[in-house]
Amino acid sequence: MNEVAQVVAYIPRLRRYARALVGERSAADDLVQDTLERALNKLHLWKRGTDLRAWLFTVMHNVHVNQVRSRREYATLDADALELPVRATQDVGLETRDMERMLARLPVEQREALLLVVLEDMSYDEAATALGIPIGTVMSRLSRAREKLRALMEGLPAAGRLQVVK
């Protein structure tokens, strides 16, 4: 399979991560499109034999960071108005909605680490490579994200614990 076909095979995973990262379908689709455009233009920079998935997520991370830095505004459409209603059990729908809201309340750095490791099933090393940070930082962000999510889901205050250092 050539490189372009391999990139195409990862589109569903890129869309899932983008959707979880930015929270809005149209913004996620824009992020995926921008990522694919950059990845295909820079495909010659990918080293054969290395993990293409991690490289693509690195590209997406960098595109997302650039967009956040430039404060690029996305035209928002009411995604719910465009979707056909799908019947689901009420509990599952409520739990999903609650989880999306709690994820949105995490700092971006923690949400990125959590989504790459949990949703995309990347190792800590792969996530560190994709985010361009040390593996210890990934582990720290992941730990904080899990702790904050747990507190939010249990209805506890989400504030971090501050300790007095003498």
Side-chain angles (χ1 to χ4, degrees), residues 31-44:
L31 178 58
V32 171
Q33 181 176 346
D34 293 346
T35 299
L36 291 172
E37 180 181 357
R38 180 164 305 158
L40 292 173
N41 285 332
K42 304 287 184 179
L43 196 55
H44 64 280

Side-chain angles (χ1 to χ4, degrees), residues 1-163:
M1 182 176 347
N2 68 19
E3 291 88 8
V4 175
Q6 289 176 343
V7 169
V8 169
Y10 285 116
I11 290 175
R13 296 184 113 187
L14 291 169
R15 288 188 79 220
R16 181 175 62 196
Y17 177 63
R19 174 67 191 223
L21 185 62
V22 298
E24 185 198 350
R25 180 163 292 171
S26 65
D29 287 344
D30 288 346
L31 178 58
V32 171
Q33 181 176 346
D34 293 346
T35 299
L36 291 172
E37 180 181 357
R38 180 164 305 158
L40 292 173
N41 285 332
K42 304 287 184 179
L43 196 55
H44 64 280
L45 298 175
W46 174 65
K47 296 176 186 170
R48 285 182 173 259
T50 60
D51 187 2
L52 180 61
R53 177 181 69 146
W55 185 79
L56 288 170
F57 279 93
T58 300
V59 172
M60 180 174 278
H61 170 74
N62 292 337
V63 168
H64 178 65
V65 167
N66 290 342
Q67 289 175 349
V68 169
R69 283 184 183 151
S70 68
R71 301 186 196 280
R72 179 177 170 181
E73 294 293 323
Y74 291 100
T76 59
L77 296 175
D78 185 3
D80 293 333
L82 299 175
E83 294 179 15
L84 294 174
V86 177
R87 292 254 178 206
T89 64
Q90 191 163 354
D91 290 345
V92 172
L94 292 174
E95 289 172 1
T96 302
R97 186 196 67 206
D98 289 346
M99 182 57 75
E100 286 177 355
R101 286 182 180 165
M102 299 308 139
L103 281 171
R105 292 178 63 184
L106 292 176
V108 172
E109 297 83 11
Q110 292 176 12
R111 187 169 59 239
E112 288 173 336
L114 182 72
L115 293 172
L116 287 177
V117 172
V118 175
L119 184 65
E120 294 304 325
D121 199 29
M122 285 189 175
S123 68
Y124 293 165
D125 190 42
E126 291 171 327
T129 301
L131 296 172
I133 57 177
I135 193 169
T137 304
V138 169
M139 294 166 61
S140 175
R141 289 179 182 177
L142 187 59
S143 174
R144 283 192 221 114
R146 286 177 171 157
E147 183 177 324
K148 186 169 183 176
L149 258 183
R150 193 174 299 114
L152 289 170
M153 293 301 284
E154 292 174 0
L156 301 174
R161 293 184 222 134
L162 296 177
Q163 297 176 345

